[in-house]
Amino acid sequence: MAKSQPKTKRRIRRALFAFSVTRLVVCAVLLAVLVGAYFVLPRFIDLGGKTASDVAALVWHTVDVGQGDCTIVQFPDDKVLMVDTGKPDAYSTIVQYLQKLHITTIDWLVISHPDDDHYGSAPKLLANSSLTFKQNYCANYPDKNDKKTYRAMVNNPDYNFQVPSDGQQIGTDDYTITFVSPFAADTISSTNLSNNTSLMMTIEYYNKIFVLTGDASYSNGTDAEGLFIKHATALGLFTN
């Protein structure tokens, strides 16, 4: 009996050691989860005093359409904004992306300007019977003989495109989409006309502001981006 005591003590020590290691691993995992939650949970982000239990997430998708742009924004109330649609060959990519997100309704479609790397897929998307487009917006671009496909699309009465006014807003109390400086062609240099007549906009979500400017630029003495900032400031968008 006296000879078995050291073995018993060793077994106890091994059991205590194994328990300590297990406890250490569990504590490390819990610490990792807590640290991850601290940086991931939106309740730790300033949302105007509201927490994750009060506010659903705004989800921003920048779709890889190759040459061109396509942005999809899902709002907390399940409304969807699509800005631009890439080139014509991006149609399948966008449809598959929408299907993956289970999106069949686009509440607001915005075509920033009449270059085909920004509107190219729009005619086919609008004609797709499995998709519903509620409100469509386009830039204030002059009625010229170029951009015929674009002109046919925005003039199609079935699509009901409209040019928003400067400062026009859509959205809810939780988020606001503001159209800024949809410039008339006579205020813009003829150089890069389609780019510099881009329909620009801001999206305000609590204390955050996102800016979308199409392809507006500074060109040949025409500072479209500067005009945007001037108008946006006058509207009170950048005062805080």
Side-chain angles (χ1 to χ4, degrees):
M1 185 68 177
K3 293 182 179 180
S4 65
Q5 287 179 350
K7 293 182 180 179
T8 301
K9 289 180 179 180
R10 285 197 294 271
R11 284 197 295 269
I12 292 172
R13 285 197 296 269
R14 286 198 295 268
L16 289 173
F17 176 78
F19 175 77
S20 298
V21 171
T22 301
R23 184 169 56 182
L24 180 62
V25 171
V26 171
C27 290
V29 171
L30 289 174
L31 179 61
V33 170
L34 290 172
V35 171
Y38 179 86
F39 288 104
V40 173
L41 286 178
R43 70 186 182 89
F44 291 97
I45 301 173
D46 180 10
L47 293 174
K50 295 189 177 184
T51 65
S53 61
D54 303 312
V55 183
L58 177 150
V59 184
W60 189 286
H61 306 268
T62 301
V63 185
D64 184 0
V65 293
Q67 170 66 33
D69 287 343
C70 179
T71 299
I72 298 170
V73 183
Q74 294 175 283
F75 292 98
D77 56 1
D78 295 327
K79 285 186 167 51
V80 176
L81 165 71
M82 179 184 288
V83 182
D84 290 332
T85 63
K87 294 176 75 69
D89 59 8
Y91 169 76
S92 296
T93 298
I94 295 172
V95 169
Q96 290 171 11
Y97 202 97
L98 292 172
Q99 290 173 343
K100 183 178 179 181
L101 297 175
H102 305 290
I103 292 175
T104 58
T105 299
I106 307 298
D107 295 276
W108 305 291
L109 171 65
V110 177
I111 301 299
S112 65
H113 64 289
D115 286 345
D116 73 346
D117 59 340
H118 287 257
Y119 85 89
S121 294
K124 291 182 69 175
L125 290 168
L126 288 162
N128 187 328
S129 60
S130 65
L131 296 174
T132 299
F133 292 85
K134 290 188 173 181
Q135 293 178 283
N136 303 322
Y137 299 92
C138 63
N140 189 0
Y141 186 75
D143 189 5
K144 293 191 173 183
N145 291 328
D146 60 347
K147 315 292 184 183
K148 290 182 179 179
T149 303
Y150 171 83
R151 187 56 52 192
M153 177 185 72
V154 298
N155 285 339
N156 188 327
D158 292 336
Y159 302 149
N160 193 29
F161 271 93
Q162 56 182 299
V163 177
S165 59
D166 188 21
Q168 181 175 333
Q169 294 183 330
I170 53 180
T172 68
D173 290 339
D174 289 336
Y175 63 89
T176 304
I177 302 167
T178 304
F179 294 105
V180 182
S181 305
F183 305 116
D186 58 3
T187 67
I188 298 296
S189 167
S190 60
T191 303
N192 288 335
L193 181 62
S194 61
N195 284 349
N196 285 328
T197 54
S198 289
L199 178 55
M200 294 182 267
M201 58 199 295
T202 64
I203 301 172
E204 186 172 2
Y205 182 60
Y206 291 94
N207 64 331
K208 309 296 181 186
I209 294 181
F210 306 89
V211 178
L212 293 162
T213 60
D215 276 347
S217 63
Y218 181 86
S219 177
N220 195 29
T222 299
D223 186 0
E225 290 181 343
L227 289 172
F228 164 80
I229 293 172
K230 180 180 178 181
H231 282 237
T233 302
L235 293 168
L237 296 174
F238 299 147
T239 55
N240 296 327

